Amino acid sequence: MSRFSLFMKENKTKKENGKYAPTKSLKDDAGKPLEWEFKHISSKENEELRESCTMEVQIKGKPNLFRPKLNSSQYLSKMIVASTVYPDLYDKELQDSYGVMTPEELVFAIIDDPGEYNSLGEWLQRFQGFTKSLEEKVDEAKN
């Protein structure tokens, strides 16, 4: 038996999908808000999302010096899309019904209340294992 047997993949706990109703404006026949289903994304998927939303910004007063800057709203919308199992945000018929062409635009169209969108973002970040929301981290960095 390997000294690393406890670390083997078969011993790893499978993360279950989660459900959350991000908007009160869509309800089932009983009047209950529709729940969406979300999956956990891997650390690698998260890093790829972060990289795709990070740009190099020139440091003021320092020619040829740049620092990375994360577009946090773009990152959050991409994380929502990557995590969503149901509804299918890539479904053309669903996109067409809202007059949008991308899954990110569809999320904004379906969840058009800023407070609900913000609540979804906070819930999803905690679901993905972040103990502090992106907004909390930005506030901490500013202080």
Side-chain angles (χ1 to χ4, degrees):
M1 180 177 281
S2 168
R3 63 184 178 155
F4 299 112
S5 61
L6 293 177
F7 290 96
M8 298 298 176
K9 186 175 182 176
E10 60 267 10
N11 293 323
K12 193 166 180 144
T13 305
K14 185 180 184 308
K15 295 177 182 171
E16 299 296 322
N17 288 357
K19 293 192 177 197
Y20 180 80
T23 182
K24 294 176 187 148
S25 61
L26 292 171
K27 299 178 181 181
D28 63 15
D29 295 336
K32 185 178 168 194
L34 295 176
E35 287 188 326
W36 292 25
E37 184 178 353
F38 297 93
K39 67 178 181 177
H40 289 273
I41 59 173
S42 69
S43 298
K44 182 176 171 128
E45 289 171 304
N46 181 60
E47 202 53 39
E48 290 169 355
L49 290 174
R50 277 182 104 62
E51 276 186 35
S52 73
C53 299
T54 302
M55 62 185 131
E56 294 291 319
V57 179
Q58 185 172 1
I59 299 173
K60 290 182 181 179
K62 306 227 177 180
N64 301 322
L65 282 179
F66 296 84
R67 65 175 177 78
K69 182 176 186 221
L70 177 68
N71 181 333
S72 57
S73 61
Q74 182 184 36
Y75 168 63
L76 182 58
S77 71
K78 285 187 175 206
M79 182 190 290
I80 291 169
V81 170
S83 303
T84 302
V85 174
Y86 181 81
D88 180 0
L89 300 174
Y90 291 89
D91 184 80
K92 182 164 176 28
E93 184 179 3
L94 186 55
Q95 289 178 1
D96 288 348
S97 78
Y98 283 92
V100 299
M101 298 183 72
T102 68
E104 290 82 10
E105 290 175 315
L106 182 58
V107 170
F108 281 111
I110 294 174
I111 309 166
D112 58 355
D113 181 281
E116 289 179 340
Y117 184 83
N118 195 36
S119 294
L120 169 60
E122 289 174 7
W123 178 88
L124 186 63
Q125 288 175 63
R126 293 198 196 304
F127 175 74
Q128 293 297 353
F130 295 99
T131 55
K132 292 184 180 178
S133 72
L134 201 54
E135 287 78 25
E136 290 170 333
K137 288 181 180 180
V138 169
D139 288 342
E140 279 181 13
K142 288 180 181 177
N143 294 330

